[in-house]
Amino acid sequence: AEALADYLCVTYERSTTNRRVLELGAGTGALGLCVAAAGLATEVVVTDRFDVMPLLTRNVTRNAPNCANTRLCAAELSWGPVE
């Protein structure tokens, strides 16, 4: 997540258009939170499975004040093969 966040911050400018990001399997949400805090998107949705949501939601809530220009939210989303 850290290497990709560094790459995105160097490659992309702050969002002046309606760039939206959907992160699948966000885990702690580190990458989505970095994108939001850097202002690289106007909307960031970080997602993961039900069992990860308490941590992901807590991280989004704690970091939302640092992402004032980005709509940031966490959502439950199971993807991939059903087990």
Side-chain angles (χ1 to χ4, degrees):
E2 184 178 346
L4 184 53
D6 287 343
Y7 170 80
L8 292 174
C9 286
V10 169
T11 305
Y12 294 97
E13 297 178 13
R14 287 183 165 269
S15 182
T16 56
T17 60
N18 292 329
R19 186 180 296 144
R20 298 183 303 177
V21 172
L22 171 64
E23 184 179 4
L24 301 174
T28 62
L31 179 59
L33 292 169
C34 288
V35 168
L40 300 178
T42 54
E43 180 179 10
V44 174
V45 179
V46 291
T47 67
D48 216 313
R49 300 182 324 247
F50 173 79
D51 56 322
V52 180
M53 288 309 297
L55 173 62
L56 184 57
T57 302
R58 185 170 53 248
N59 287 342
V60 166
T61 301
R62 287 181 177 171
N63 288 280
N66 300 323
C67 309
N69 295 324
T70 302
R71 181 176 175 269
L72 175 64
C73 68
E76 181 184 337
L77 177 65
S78 296
W79 57 279
V82 177
E83 296 180 7

